[in-house]
Amino acid sequence: MIEKLIKNPLTLKRWRIFKSRKTSWVSLWFFLFFLLISLTAEFWSNSKPLILHYQGSLYFPVIKKYSPETFNLKDQHIVNYRQLEFKKGDWVVWPIVKWNPLESNLEVKKFPSPPSVTNWLGTDDRGRDVLSRLLYGYRYSIGFALCVWILSYFIGSLLGALMGYFGSITDIIGQRLVEIIDALPFLIILMALTTIVGRSFIFMIVFMAFFSWVSISLYMRAEFLRLRKRAFVEASRSLGRGHWGLIWKQIFPNALNPIITFSPFSLASFIGVLAVLDYLGFGLVPPTPSWGEMFSQAEKHVTTAWWLALFPSIALFSTLLSLTFIGNGMRDAFDPKEIA
């Protein structure tokens, strides 16, 4: 079906090359499947029912917030659906995992607790369900990686395009800027800034993007240096097209190979960096679901809570491996030797 929508013969050939790489094709579906599961995590893991039929009325707590007065509950600010008294005719449909990532299982005597019927992958040192935190943590990891990728690739592509197109003093200044950014001590600056301004999701995205645009800018600079003297660019220039028209309408569409081929690898690296920063305590603000924070807990309970290391490791490894295979497939699809 996708092939019918592709009109460009070259794009169609690249798509078929990518699809022929079985590991890349399977990894793409694996990545998209778990991305969809994570984006809809409220329907799979939540302390709120999907559907509730109570005292003759139908409720949808997972998509709509109800006040305790709706169910005649007193001394509660938030509805605890587990405490509702069901009578004849009442029924409820729960998510597969009946826990949200911030909720502690107070029925467990000791934290962290091993996998059980109640908590399939066990709980962390605060009694929170590991599977729930893995699902929601995937969302934060992918969201963080995508935001950093968009911002850093935009900055890097823009600066690389300007350096490669104009050359001369613009290129000299740009290269010195690249060298300065590349030489800055990333972790020390992060530690200092988090002490001053605190931690937040937006801050982490901006900070990472500031240090991550350098590599793609060098590739885009090389592409623009290679393409700026091509015949089709000179022809457009002779017709009176301005600099920005030449950059964005003539050269940039032909210089997308580095962006496309390196994107999966960049996403994988950003996910890994976030996990490391969370592990070190410089990442997302607690109690945000975080894979790195679970690794930190695993270190503290290394002899008593093996599940805190095993399951986050499987999640992180499989995600990074799938993105790497996708990147390998895309690299082959854009390889001139494969297309020829």
Side-chain angles (χ1 to χ4, degrees):
M1 181 177 179
I2 296 179
E3 294 185 0
K4 295 180 180 179
L5 299 176
I6 301 176
K7 304 299 182 182
N8 188 297
L10 179 59
T11 303
L12 180 60
K13 191 170 185 178
R14 286 170 173 168
W15 169 255
R16 287 173 175 170
I17 292 174
F18 177 83
K19 193 175 178 180
S20 67
R21 305 302 189 263
K22 298 303 181 182
T23 54
S24 301
W25 182 242
V26 172
S27 296
L28 177 62
W29 282 107
F30 174 87
F31 176 78
L32 293 177
F33 172 76
F34 282 100
L35 178 61
L36 177 63
I37 293 296
S38 183
L39 292 177
T40 58
E42 285 80 5
F43 295 92
W44 309 103
S45 176
N46 212 323
S47 57
K48 299 177 181 179
L50 300 176
I51 307 174
L52 173 65
H53 187 271
Y54 186 74
Q55 296 183 357
S57 299
L58 200 61
Y59 303 95
F60 301 91
V62 74
I63 60 177
K64 184 177 180 181
K65 184 178 181 180
Y66 297 100
S67 65
E69 289 77 12
T70 305
F71 305 99
N72 298 318
L73 297 176
K74 298 180 180 180
D75 301 326
Q76 290 189 20
H77 298 289
I78 300 176
V79 180
N80 188 339
Y81 292 95
R82 293 191 180 93
Q83 296 180 352
L84 292 179
E85 296 181 2
F86 292 95
K87 299 179 181 179
K88 186 177 180 180
D90 296 337
W91 51 270
V92 60
V93 177
W94 287 95
I96 297 175
V97 181
K98 300 180 182 179
W99 304 97
N100 68 56
L102 306 180
E103 181 185 17
S104 298
N105 184 0
L106 301 179
E107 297 179 0
V108 178
K109 296 180 180 179
K110 182 181 178 181
F111 302 148
S113 62
S116 64
V117 176
T118 305
N119 301 104
W120 296 353
L121 302 185
T123 68
D124 65 5
D125 60 4
R126 294 170 180 81
R128 299 170 299 195
D129 187 78
V130 170
L131 178 55
S132 179
R133 291 184 69 78
L134 284 177
L135 287 176
Y136 285 85
Y138 190 90
R139 176 190 298 179
Y140 281 99
S141 297
I142 296 298
F144 172 83
L146 285 173
C147 290
V148 175
W149 170 73
I150 292 172
L151 186 56
S152 63
Y153 269 49
F154 173 78
I155 297 172
S157 298
L158 176 61
L159 295 181
L162 294 178
M163 287 187 289
Y165 179 81
F166 289 106
S168 187
I169 188 64
T170 303
D171 189 32
I172 294 175
I173 295 174
Q175 287 298 291
R176 301 296 80 76
L177 178 63
V178 166
E179 292 170 0
I180 292 172
I181 298 296
D182 203 32
L184 291 175
F186 168 83
L187 189 57
I188 295 176
I189 295 176
L190 177 61
M191 294 169 60
L193 289 179
T194 51
T195 303
I196 298 172
V197 303
R199 288 182 286 168
S200 69
F201 191 70
I202 301 298
F203 167 76
M204 291 301 301
I205 291 172
V206 174
F207 182 84
M208 278 298 302
F210 178 78
F211 283 92
S212 303
W213 60 267
V214 171
S215 59
I216 193 62
S217 72
L218 297 177
Y219 286 105
M220 293 303 292
R221 170 181 175 270
E223 287 294 307
F224 270 75
L225 285 172
R226 180 176 66 86
L227 295 171
R228 65 177 182 172
K229 296 298 183 181
R230 289 290 182 88
F232 67 93
V233 177
E234 295 293 344
S236 296
R237 184 180 285 112
S238 67
L239 294 175
R241 188 179 291 273
H243 291 309
W244 290 108
L246 291 172
I247 291 174
W248 298 116
K249 294 185 178 181
Q250 296 296 320
I251 303 179
F252 186 75
N254 294 282
L256 291 176
N257 284 14
I259 295 178
I260 296 174
T261 55
F262 287 115
S263 289
F265 300 108
S266 296
L267 290 174
S269 67
F270 295 147
I271 292 173
V273 168
L274 179 63
V276 171
L277 293 177
D278 285 332
Y279 171 78
L280 296 174
F282 298 106
L284 303 178
V285 180
T288 304
S290 164
W291 293 352
E293 189 262 347
M294 297 175 75
F295 286 123
S296 179
Q297 290 189 34
E299 182 187 21
K300 299 175 184 176
H301 305 277
V302 64
T303 59
T304 58
W306 53 267
W307 55 92
L308 289 178
L310 176 62
F311 298 121
S313 296
I314 293 175
L316 182 60
F317 175 78
S318 59
T319 301
L320 298 185
L321 186 64
S322 64
L323 285 170
T324 300
F325 282 143
I326 293 171
N328 288 336
M330 296 181 70
R331 182 181 59 192
D332 291 344
F334 282 82
D335 188 348
K337 296 179 181 179
E338 296 286 344
I339 298 174

